[in-house]
Amino acid sequence: MKRYVPECEDGTLFLVTDDDRVKIGTVDDIVAAVSGETYAITYDQKQRTQPWLDTNDGKVGIDVRETVTTMYHTESTVSKLREYDMGTERYGIPTRTVKFADEFVDILEQQGST
């Protein structure tokens, strides 16, 4: 299975393998689609008992900009994203970029109980 590595070029995120390169959109648009620079994952009471989770309020802030430019993706995820074009939707953000942001948030939400 191919793993797609994020590459950022002039503020634009691409997901790349040795023989493939898929444009996702600008990091600024991804941050806007996620609704901010930081995304909070909320853990429930049971999850908070884990020794590795060091938080008083059950929330962990994720730096969106850093995470989207370092997180690897599967071939399956990129294949789904490829179905969307870079035409803009009603808020002026490309559809593929919005779908990527949605996928990113889904991945983060699987980590907690948000």
Side-chain angles (χ1 to χ4, degrees), residues 45-92:
Q45 284 301 113
K46 184 177 179 183
Q47 291 169 321
R48 292 181 201 180
T49 63
Q50 299 303 311
W52 56 265
L53 185 60
D54 186 20
T55 177
N56 292 328
D57 62 358
K59 294 182 181 182
V60 174
I62 303 298
D63 183 316
V64 173
R65 194 172 295 276
E66 177 184 349
T67 306
V68 299
T69 58
T70 59
M71 188 168 79
Y72 291 54
H73 294 275
T74 64
E75 188 173 14
S76 172
T77 297
V78 174
S79 178
K80 284 188 258 181
L81 292 170
R82 200 185 296 275
E83 294 176 15
Y84 301 98
D85 64 22
M86 293 300 291
T88 58
E89 49 95 63
R90 65 181 168 164
Y91 297 108

Side-chain angles (χ1 to χ4, degrees), residues 19-62:
D19 60 351
D20 194 15
R21 180 177 175 93
V22 179
K23 181 178 182 179
I24 300 301
T26 68
V27 176
D28 288 343
D29 281 348
I30 295 167
V31 168
V34 173
S35 297
E37 296 279 341
T38 304
Y39 187 86
I41 298 174
T42 303
Y43 292 90
D44 64 25
Q45 284 301 113
K46 184 177 179 183
Q47 291 169 321
R48 292 181 201 180
T49 63
Q50 299 303 311
W52 56 265
L53 185 60
D54 186 20
T55 177
N56 292 328
D57 62 358
K59 294 182 181 182
V60 174
I62 303 298

Side-chain angles (χ1 to χ4, degrees), residues 6-22:
E7 284 186 4
C8 204
E9 184 178 301
D10 295 327
T12 299
L13 181 69
F14 295 86
L15 298 180
V16 180
T17 64
D18 289 338
D19 60 351
D20 194 15
R21 180 177 175 93
V22 179

